[in-house]
Amino acid sequence: MEPEPEISMLVQEIINCKLCPRLVEYRAEVARKKVRRFRDFEYWGRPLPGFGDLNARLLIVGLAPAAHGGNRTGRMFTGDSSGDWLIKALYETGFANQPVSRYKDDGLKLIDCYVTAVARCAPPKNKPLRSELINCQRYLIREFEILRNIKAILTLGRISFDWTLRALNILYGLDRRYIHFRHGVAYDLRGLGKRLFVSYHPSRQNTQTGRLTWDMWIKVFRSIRSYLDGVG
Ligand code: SF4
């Protein structure tokens, strides 16, 4: 099957998913109560599928939608500060057509890049439970199967790193013993023809404390750009 119908089916499945009762309740409650600054906004309040270029060579894996970001706007990394960092870096390195991501229909197009996450529903305190990550793992595995041109994978934060490796292990039997979580490192995934890039998550907690600076962040994207330009 071509990637387009396959991804459309997957998107519908994700949007209608109710596998995690705690998250089903939380995402709807956030959408109902809202926050004052977005009180006039119609929240999405459902799971979020990935988005981007189906022929992408770069796959970016985040953690989960933000309660008042993606859970509000209906698109990952859209309408929150993590999205501001991600899309600006993608734009500066030629993976996006514009530097901002504010609304679902704001004209943003990802170029050679697809963005997804290890959990598709906003979790309380940005912390999905292990059981919820297990439930959601099936969707990342399907994306790996559908997106056949992936050459570079960027994980954002420890949870994304762990659960992306788990998906690659399930799919391809990846041996992860030589792979360690540290910002800015990259690994050639033996036998898979893909390189894994590791970064801290651009959450406020990291960017406002200086744990992740703009220089550290943009360097990761420049390395990915050089790598992909080299592999052709
Ligand atoms: S987190 Fe994933 S598995 Fe759980 S309800 Fe949301 S979409 Fe479904």
Side-chain angles (χ1 to χ4, degrees):
M1 203 190 278
E2 288 301 305
E4 217 157 306
E6 270 185 288
I7 210 86
S8 307
M9 278 164 59
L10 179 60
V11 164
Q12 283 315 309
E13 231 178 279
I14 292 172
I15 289 175
N16 293 308
C17 183
K18 294 189 170 80
L19 281 172
C20 310
R22 184 184 79 122
L23 300 184
V24 170
E25 199 180 311
Y26 181 72
R27 71 196 190 203
E29 186 192 321
V30 170
R32 203 172 48 246
K33 290 187 179 163
K34 309 183 181 182
V35 276
R36 185 185 286 223
R37 68 185 186 284
F38 296 128
R39 66 177 180 272
D40 297 329
F41 214 97
E42 177 99 22
Y43 275 52
W44 170 252
R46 297 168 74 178
L48 290 185
F51 77 103
D53 180 352
L54 295 183
N55 294 311
R57 290 178 302 161
L58 169 61
L59 180 70
I60 300 180
V61 189
L63 167 59
H68 302 285
N71 186 57
R72 172 176 60 91
T73 60
R75 190 175 67 189
M76 285 191 191
F77 288 99
T78 299
D80 60 34
S81 63
S82 299
D84 290 346
W85 271 53
L86 177 64
I87 303 304
K88 188 161 182 264
L90 290 176
Y91 176 71
E92 287 193 9
T93 47
F95 292 109
N97 69 332
Q98 61 185 44
V100 289
S101 173
R102 299 270 155 77
Y103 307 99
K104 205 172 171 182
D105 301 316
D106 59 4
L108 173 68
K109 285 206 168 35
L110 301 185
I111 304 158
D112 203 11
C113 172
Y114 197 88
V115 173
T116 189
V118 289
R120 317 298 170 126
C121 294
K125 298 188 176 145
N126 288 324
K127 287 200 175 82
L129 303 175
R130 183 178 163 76
S131 58
E132 292 161 350
L133 288 160
I134 289 172
N135 284 344
C136 220
Q137 180 96 102
R138 70 199 70 205
Y139 301 130
L140 181 60
I141 289 174
R142 294 262 295 282
E143 282 167 332
F144 272 119
E145 288 171 336
I146 295 168
L147 303 168
R148 297 181 186 113
N149 291 333
I150 298 301
K151 298 264 187 310
I153 302 162
L154 169 63
T155 59
L156 304 179
R158 180 75 203 222
I159 297 175
S160 154
F161 171 84
D162 282 338
W163 288 81
T164 298
L165 289 180
R166 190 177 186 273
L168 291 169
N169 178 264
I170 292 170
L171 262 173
Y172 308 115
L174 176 76
D175 175 5
R176 61 164 293 181
R177 278 174 297 183
Y178 64 100
I179 303 171
H180 306 286
F181 180 77
R182 189 155 59 85
H183 177 84
V185 294
Y187 295 93
D188 282 322
L189 300 177
R190 293 173 193 160
L192 301 195
K194 303 181 200 300
R195 184 173 289 187
L196 174 74
F197 294 82
V198 182
S199 172
Y200 292 149
H201 193 284
S203 62
R204 272 218 174 118
Q205 209 183 347
N206 287 335
T207 57
Q208 288 189 340
T209 55
R211 184 167 190 245
L212 179 64
T213 63
W214 180 258
D215 272 4
M216 289 163 67
W217 176 240
I218 197 71
K219 248 186 214 164
V220 173
F221 290 84
R222 289 194 186 122
S223 313
I224 296 170
R225 170 50 68 200
S226 306
Y227 170 67
L228 288 178
D229 285 352
V231 294

PDB file of all heavy atoms in Angstrom, residues 162-179:
ATOM      1  N   ASP A 162      14.050   6.550  25.113  1.00  0.00           N
ATOM      2  CA  ASP A 162      13.837   5.165  25.559  1.00  0.00           C
ATOM      3  C   ASP A 162      12.764   4.452  24.731  1.00  0.00           C
ATOM      4  O   ASP A 162      12.918   3.294  24.347  1.00  0.00           O
ATOM      5  CB  ASP A 162      13.406   5.140  27.030  1.00  0.00           C
ATOM      6  CG  ASP A 162      14.600   5.355  27.957  1.00  0.00           C
ATOM      7  OD1 ASP A 162      15.740   5.101  27.534  1.00  0.00           O
ATOM      8  OD2 ASP A 162      14.381   5.790  29.106  1.00  0.00           O
ATOM      9  N   TRP A 163      11.676   5.166  24.479  1.00  0.00           N
ATOM     10  CA  TRP A 163      10.551   4.492  23.822  1.00  0.00           C
ATOM     11  C   TRP A 163      10.729   4.404  22.306  1.00  0.00           C
ATOM     12  O   TRP A 163      10.158   3.517  21.663  1.00  0.00           O
ATOM     13  CB  TRP A 163       9.233   5.143  24.248  1.00  0.00           C
ATOM     14  CG  TRP A 163       8.960   4.753  25.678  1.00  0.00           C
ATOM     15  CD1 TRP A 163       9.504   5.332  26.786  1.00  0.00           C
ATOM     16  CD2 TRP A 163       8.191   3.636  26.122  1.00  0.00           C
ATOM     17  NE1 TRP A 163       9.093   4.646  27.908  1.00  0.00           N
ATOM     18  CE2 TRP A 163       8.290   3.612  27.537  1.00  0.00           C
ATOM     19  CE3 TRP A 163       7.419   2.668  25.488  1.00  0.00           C
ATOM     20  CZ2 TRP A 163       7.642   2.646  28.308  1.00  0.00           C
ATOM     21  CZ3 TRP A 163       6.758   1.703  26.254  1.00  0.00           C
ATOM     22  CH2 TRP A 163       6.881   1.707  27.649  1.00  0.00           C
ATOM     23  N   THR A 164      11.541   5.253  21.742  1.00  0.00           N
ATOM     24  CA  THR A 164      11.874   5.112  20.321  1.00  0.00           C
ATOM     25  C   THR A 164      12.783   3.891  20.153  1.00  0.00           C
ATOM     26  O   THR A 164      12.583   3.072  19.241  1.00  0.00           O
ATOM     27  CB  THR A 164      12.580   6.386  19.806  1.00  0.00           C
ATOM     28  OG1 THR A 164      11.677   7.478  19.954  1.00  0.00           O
ATOM     29  CG2 THR A 164      12.981   6.247  18.350  1.00  0.00           C
ATOM     30  N   LEU A 165      13.753   3.741  21.053  1.00  0.00           N
ATOM     31  CA  LEU A 165      14.637   2.572  20.968  1.00  0.00           C
ATOM     32  C   LEU A 165      13.845   1.286  21.181  1.00  0.00           C
ATOM     33  O   LEU A 165      14.088   0.265  20.539  1.00  0.00           O
ATOM     34  CB  LEU A 165      15.765   2.688  21.997  1.00  0.00           C
ATOM     35  CG  LEU A 165      16.811   3.760  21.693  1.00  0.00           C
ATOM     36  CD1 LEU A 165      17.875   3.807  22.761  1.00  0.00           C
ATOM     37  CD2 LEU A 165      17.463   3.522  20.333  1.00  0.00           C
ATOM     38  N   ARG A 166      12.888   1.349  22.084  1.00  0.00           N
ATOM     39  CA  ARG A 166      12.047   0.166  22.328  1.00  0.00           C
ATOM     40  C   ARG A 166      11.274  -0.207  21.043  1.00  0.00           C
ATOM     41  O   ARG A 166      11.191  -1.379  20.666  1.00  0.00           O
ATOM     42  CB  ARG A 166      11.075   0.475  23.468  1.00  0.00           C
ATOM     43  CG  ARG A 166      10.307  -0.723  23.979  1.00  0.00           C
ATOM     44  CD  ARG A 166       9.439  -0.261  25.154  1.00  0.00           C
ATOM     45  NE  ARG A 166       8.767  -1.365  25.798  1.00  0.00           N
ATOM     46  CZ  ARG A 166       7.597  -1.853  25.425  1.00  0.00           C
ATOM     47  NH1 ARG A 166       6.985  -1.334  24.385  1.00  0.00           N
ATOM     48  NH2 ARG A 166       7.043  -2.858  26.075  1.00  0.00           N
ATOM     49  N   ALA A 167      10.753   0.800  20.361  1.00  0.00           N
ATOM     50  CA  ALA A 167      10.023   0.540  19.107  1.00  0.00           C
ATOM     51  C   ALA A 167      10.971  -0.068  18.068  1.00  0.00           C
ATOM     52  O   ALA A 167      10.614  -1.024  17.361  1.00  0.00           O
ATOM     53  CB  ALA A 167       9.413   1.831  18.564  1.00  0.00           C
ATOM     54  N   LEU A 168      12.191   0.452  17.983  1.00  0.00           N
ATOM     55  CA  LEU A 168      13.153  -0.064  16.997  1.00  0.00           C
ATOM     56  C   LEU A 168      13.583  -1.480  17.352  1.00  0.00           C
ATOM     57  O   LEU A 168      13.866  -2.293  16.468  1.00  0.00           O
ATOM     58  CB  LEU A 168      14.373   0.872  16.912  1.00  0.00           C
ATOM     59  CG  LEU A 168      14.087   2.245  16.296  1.00  0.00           C
ATOM     60  CD1 LEU A 168      15.267   3.192  16.499  1.00  0.00           C
ATOM     61  CD2 LEU A 168      13.763   2.110  14.805  1.00  0.00           C
ATOM     62  N   ASN A 169      13.599  -1.765  18.639  1.00  0.00           N
ATOM     63  CA  ASN A 169      13.927  -3.121  19.065  1.00  0.00           C
ATOM     64  C   ASN A 169      12.804  -4.085  18.665  1.00  0.00           C
ATOM     65  O   ASN A 169      13.054  -5.169  18.122  1.00  0.00           O
ATOM     66  CB  ASN A 169      14.179  -3.155  20.571  1.00  0.00           C
ATOM     67  CG  ASN A 169      14.473  -4.554  21.044  1.00  0.00           C
ATOM     68  OD1 ASN A 169      13.581  -5.259  21.509  1.00  0.00           O
ATOM     69  ND2 ASN A 169      15.708  -4.987  20.879  1.00  0.00           N
ATOM     70  N   ILE A 170      11.564  -3.680  18.895  1.00  0.00           N
ATOM     71  CA  ILE A 170      10.428  -4.539  18.538  1.00  0.00           C
ATOM     72  C   ILE A 170      10.409  -4.782  17.020  1.00  0.00           C
ATOM     73  O   ILE A 170      10.217  -5.892  16.539  1.00  0.00           O
ATOM     74  CB  ILE A 170       9.095  -3.901  18.998  1.00  0.00           C
ATOM     75  CG1 ILE A 170       9.031  -3.893  20.535  1.00  0.00           C
ATOM     76  CG2 ILE A 170       7.886  -4.611  18.401  1.00  0.00           C
ATOM     77  CD1 ILE A 170       7.883  -3.083  21.115  1.00  0.00           C
ATOM     78  N   LEU A 171      10.643  -3.694  16.275  1.00  0.00           N
ATOM     79  CA  LEU A 171      10.553  -3.786  14.813  1.00  0.00           C
ATOM     80  C   LEU A 171      11.724  -4.515  14.171  1.00  0.00           C
ATOM     81  O   LEU A 171      11.543  -5.348  13.280  1.00  0.00           O
ATOM     82  CB  LEU A 171      10.526  -2.377  14.232  1.00  0.00           C
ATOM     83  CG  LEU A 171       9.186  -1.776  13.878  1.00  0.00           C
ATOM     84  CD1 LEU A 171       9.389  -0.326  13.484  1.00  0.00           C
ATOM     85  CD2 LEU A 171       8.515  -2.528  12.746  1.00  0.00           C
ATOM     86  N   TYR A 172      12.939  -4.127  14.604  1.00  0.00           N
ATOM     87  CA  TYR A 172      14.127  -4.602  13.882  1.00  0.00           C
ATOM     88  C   TYR A 172      15.105  -5.370  14.768  1.00  0.00           C
ATOM     89  O   TYR A 172      16.216  -5.673  14.329  1.00  0.00           O
ATOM     90  CB  TYR A 172      14.894  -3.406  13.273  1.00  0.00           C
ATOM     91  CG  TYR A 172      14.056  -2.475  12.444  1.00  0.00           C
ATOM     92  CD1 TYR A 172      13.844  -1.156  12.857  1.00  0.00           C
ATOM     93  CD2 TYR A 172      13.476  -2.886  11.247  1.00  0.00           C
ATOM     94  CE1 TYR A 172      13.083  -0.278  12.097  1.00  0.00           C
ATOM     95  CE2 TYR A 172      12.715  -2.023  10.486  1.00  0.00           C
ATOM     96  CZ  TYR A 172      12.518  -0.718  10.918  1.00  0.00           C
ATOM     97  OH  TYR A 172      11.768   0.144  10.170  1.00  0.00           O
ATOM     98  N   GLY A 173      14.738  -5.610  16.026  1.00  0.00           N
ATOM     99  CA  GLY A 173      15.646  -6.298  16.937  1.00  0.00           C
ATOM    100  C   GLY A 173      16.885  -5.476  17.254  1.00  0.00           C
ATOM    101  O   GLY A 173      17.963  -6.036  17.480  1.00  0.00           O
ATOM    102  N   LEU A 174      16.740  -4.152  17.278  1.00  0.00           N
ATOM    103  CA  LEU A 174      17.895  -3.285  17.537  1.00  0.00           C
ATOM    104  C   LEU A 174      18.519  -3.596  18.900  1.00  0.00           C
ATOM    105  O   LEU A 174      17.833  -3.656  19.908  1.00  0.00           O
ATOM    106  CB  LEU A 174      17.447  -1.816  17.523  1.00  0.00           C
ATOM    107  CG  LEU A 174      18.545  -0.814  17.873  1.00  0.00           C
ATOM    108  CD1 LEU A 174      19.491  -0.618  16.701  1.00  0.00           C
ATOM    109  CD2 LEU A 174      17.956   0.520  18.295  1.00  0.00           C
ATOM    110  N   ASP A 175      19.830  -3.772  18.890  1.00  0.00           N
ATOM    111  CA  ASP A 175      20.573  -3.969  20.138  1.00  0.00           C
ATOM    112  C   ASP A 175      20.980  -2.586  20.636  1.00  0.00           C
ATOM    113  O   ASP A 175      21.753  -1.890  19.990  1.00  0.00           O
ATOM    114  CB  ASP A 175      21.818  -4.821  19.848  1.00  0.00           C
ATOM    115  CG  ASP A 175      22.718  -4.961  21.069  1.00  0.00           C
ATOM    116  OD1 ASP A 175      22.330  -4.490  22.159  1.00  0.00           O
ATOM    117  OD2 ASP A 175      23.808  -5.543  20.922  1.00  0.00           O
ATOM    118  N   ARG A 176      20.448  -2.171  21.786  1.00  0.00           N
ATOM    119  CA  ARG A 176      20.676  -0.795  22.232  1.00  0.00           C
ATOM    120  C   ARG A 176      21.770  -0.688  23.293  1.00  0.00           C
ATOM    121  O   ARG A 176      21.951   0.372  23.892  1.00  0.00           O
ATOM    122  CB  ARG A 176      19.377  -0.176  22.748  1.00  0.00           C
ATOM    123  CG  ARG A 176      18.745  -0.880  23.934  1.00  0.00           C
ATOM    124  CD  ARG A 176      17.713  -0.008  24.598  1.00  0.00           C
ATOM    125  NE  ARG A 176      18.337   1.158  25.216  1.00  0.00           N
ATOM    126  CZ  ARG A 176      17.673   2.088  25.884  1.00  0.00           C
ATOM    127  NH1 ARG A 176      16.372   1.999  26.007  1.00  0.00           N
ATOM    128  NH2 ARG A 176      18.294   3.103  26.429  1.00  0.00           N
ATOM    129  N   ARG A 177      22.527  -1.747  23.493  1.00  0.00           N
ATOM    130  CA  ARG A 177      23.489  -1.716  24.599  1.00  0.00           C
ATOM    131  C   ARG A 177      24.580  -0.671  24.417  1.00  0.00           C
ATOM    132  O   ARG A 177      25.149  -0.190  25.366  1.00  0.00           O
ATOM    133  CB  ARG A 177      24.101  -3.107  24.817  1.00  0.00           C
ATOM    134  CG  ARG A 177      23.185  -3.986  25.662  1.00  0.00           C
ATOM    135  CD  ARG A 177      23.697  -5.371  25.745  1.00  0.00           C
ATOM    136  NE  ARG A 177      23.740  -6.000  24.432  1.00  0.00           N
ATOM    137  CZ  ARG A 177      24.096  -7.251  24.202  1.00  0.00           C
ATOM    138  NH1 ARG A 177      24.466  -8.004  25.202  1.00  0.00           N
ATOM    139  NH2 ARG A 177      24.097  -7.760  22.974  1.00  0.00           N
ATOM    140  N   TYR A 178      24.877  -0.305  23.170  1.00  0.00           N
ATOM    141  CA  TYR A 178      25.932   0.688  22.922  1.00  0.00           C
ATOM    142  C   TYR A 178      25.383   2.114  22.807  1.00  0.00           C
ATOM    143  O   TYR A 178      26.118   3.061  22.529  1.00  0.00           O
ATOM    144  CB  TYR A 178      26.707   0.328  21.648  1.00  0.00           C
ATOM    145  CG  TYR A 178      25.861   0.382  20.382  1.00  0.00           C
ATOM    146  CD1 TYR A 178      25.923   1.477  19.527  1.00  0.00           C
ATOM    147  CD2 TYR A 178      24.993  -0.668  20.062  1.00  0.00           C
ATOM    148  CE1 TYR A 178      25.143   1.536  18.375  1.00  0.00           C
ATOM    149  CE2 TYR A 178      24.214  -0.619  18.915  1.00  0.00           C
ATOM    150  CZ  TYR A 178      24.290   0.482  18.077  1.00  0.00           C
ATOM    151  OH  TYR A 178      23.507   0.531  16.955  1.00  0.00           O
ATOM    152  N   ILE A 179      24.086   2.268  23.046  1.00  0.00           N
ATOM    153  CA  ILE A 179      23.439   3.570  22.826  1.00  0.00           C
ATOM    154  C   ILE A 179      23.050   4.189  24.170  1.00  0.00           C
ATOM    155  O   ILE A 179      22.326   3.557  24.946  1.00  0.00           O
ATOM    156  CB  ILE A 179      22.184   3.394  21.939  1.00  0.00           C
ATOM    157  CG1 ILE A 179      22.571   2.728  20.624  1.00  0.00           C
ATOM    158  CG2 ILE A 179      21.497   4.715  21.703  1.00  0.00           C
ATOM    159  CD1 ILE A 179      21.397   2.323  19.769  1.00  0.00           C
TER     160      ILE A 179
END
